[in-house]
Amino acid sequence: MWTRAELKDRAKSVLKISYWKAFLVSLIIAIVAGGDSSYNMRANFKRPFRRNEFNEFTNFNGDFNFNTDFNSDVMVVIAIILIVVLIIFLIVAAFRIFLGAPLEVGGRRYFVESAQNRADMNNIGFAFNRGRYKGIVLTMLWKDFLNFLWFLLLIIPGIVKAYAYSMVPYILADNPNIGYKRAVELSVQMTDGEKFNIFVLGLSFLGWYLLGALAFGLGGLFVNPYKNATEAELYLVLKENAINKGLCTYNELTSNDMLI
C-alpha cells in the first residue's frame, strides 16, 4: 500500500539533488506529450451590429435577405482550408508518433532512473537506439489508438482507460521490447484497483498549478518536475507490487540493454 505523502517525500528527496535536470526533462515531456499542460478556452466576441448594419441584412418586415451563394470559388476556398487542416493534423500526428512518443518514454526513463540515484540526461535519447525504437513507437501508437477508441464511446470511459494505460511509457522505459499487447495488458493489471488513487494523486497537485498560474501560467512549468518525479515513484511501487503478485517477473521489467 502506498500513500501520496510517501511518494511526494521521495520525489522531493530526488529533486533536491537534480532539480534542474528534472526541469529540462519535464519541459521536453510537456512539449512532446502535452503532459501537465493546461489550455485556457477563451471566447472571442465580435462587436454587436449597429442598426444600419443590421438593416442591410433584413427588411422592415423582419425577413432575412441573406444572399449566400456558395459558388464554385467558395467551394474551392473551403476545400483548400480542409486540405490545409488535414496536412497540419498529419504533421502533428507524425510528430507525436515518431518523435514525441519516443522522447516521452526517454523522459519517463530519466525519472525512474533518477528515483534510483541514476540521474542521467542521456536517458532522453534512450528510445532512439535501433533495437528499441520500433517497439516503442508501435506500442505507444497502440496505446494511443486504444485510448482514442474509448474516448469515441464516452468521455468517462476514455478517462478511466487513460489511467489504466498510464504505466505503458514506464514499462517501455524498463523493457522497450516487451511487446505492445503485453505492455498494455501489464499496465491495466498494475493499475487495477489503483485508478481512483492515481486520480487523487494527480488532483493533489492542482493547488500548485493554480499557484503557478498566477505567474502568467509559467509557474506550472516548475511544478512539473515534482509531479513527474512523484509519478515515477508511483510506478516503482506498482512495479514492485506486480512482481510480488506474480503478474510479471523481475526480468520482464528490467532492461538488459543499457546502451544509450
Side-chain angles (χ1 to χ4, degrees):
M1 183 62 183
W2 55 273
T3 65
R4 297 189 301 276
E6 290 175 352
L7 297 183
K8 289 184 173 183
D9 285 343
R10 295 176 194 168
K12 290 175 184 176
S13 298
V14 172
L15 293 176
K16 286 179 180 178
I17 302 173
S18 55
Y19 176 82
W20 289 109
K21 286 183 179 180
F23 177 83
L24 292 175
V25 175
S26 294
L27 187 60
I28 292 173
I29 293 175
I31 293 172
V32 302
D36 306 318
S37 299
S38 58
Y39 299 91
N40 296 320
M41 301 299 293
R42 297 180 179 177
N44 296 313
F45 297 99
K46 294 183 178 179
R47 61 183 176 84
F49 285 122
R50 296 193 300 270
R51 183 177 181 82
N52 61 331
E53 290 177 329
F54 183 76
N55 287 337
E56 292 178 4
F57 294 98
T58 61
N59 58 26
F60 291 104
N61 296 322
D63 298 324
F64 285 95
N65 291 326
F66 286 111
N67 186 15
T68 53
D69 184 13
F70 286 96
N71 53 33
S72 59
D73 291 338
V74 175
M75 297 305 293
V76 169
V77 172
I78 293 176
I80 291 175
I81 293 174
L82 291 176
I83 291 173
V84 171
V85 171
L86 178 61
I87 291 174
I88 293 174
F89 171 79
L90 292 176
I91 291 174
V92 172
F95 176 83
R96 164 62 186 170
I97 294 170
F98 299 109
L99 183 62
L103 283 174
E104 180 184 357
V105 171
R108 302 304 181 190
R109 180 178 174 84
Y110 167 84
F111 278 101
V112 171
E113 293 288 295
S114 179
Q116 301 171 87
N117 300 316
R118 297 191 293 266
D120 187 350
M121 289 291 291
N122 287 329
N123 283 308
I124 288 294
F126 171 79
F128 293 97
N129 177 272
R130 181 180 299 178
R132 309 175 186 131
Y133 183 78
K134 181 179 179 180
I136 287 174
V137 168
L138 178 62
T139 304
M140 292 293 285
L141 179 60
W142 177 245
K143 175 188 77 75
D144 290 342
F145 175 69
L146 290 178
N147 216 165
F148 172 73
L149 292 181
W150 280 104
F151 271 109
L152 286 179
L153 295 178
L154 284 172
I155 297 297
I156 299 301
I159 294 175
V160 171
K161 286 300 180 180
Y163 282 106
Y165 304 150
S166 62
M167 294 297 115
V168 169
Y170 294 97
I171 293 171
L172 291 174
D174 268 343
N175 185 354
N177 296 311
I178 192 172
Y180 67 99
K181 289 185 178 180
R182 177 56 177 157
V184 170
E185 175 190 39
L186 187 52
S187 178
V188 171
Q189 293 174 339
M190 291 172 70
T191 56
D192 184 34
E194 300 283 4
K195 287 184 282 293
F196 181 74
N197 293 329
I198 297 174
F199 166 76
V200 175
L201 176 63
L203 201 62
S204 68
F205 291 93
L206 181 60
W208 286 105
Y209 281 110
L210 291 176
L211 186 62
L214 298 177
F216 304 99
L218 298 177
L221 295 177
F222 295 93
V223 183
N224 287 344
Y226 183 26
K227 185 173 185 291
N228 289 328
T230 303
E231 290 175 345
E233 296 290 347
L234 170 65
Y235 168 71
L236 290 174
V237 171
L238 296 182
K239 171 183 173 179
E240 182 179 2
N241 291 343
I243 293 174
N244 292 337
K245 292 178 182 178
L247 299 176
C248 63
T249 63
Y250 175 81
N251 291 332
E252 190 175 18
L253 288 182
T254 303
S255 176
N256 294 320
D257 180 4
M258 297 303 293
L259 294 177
I260 300 298

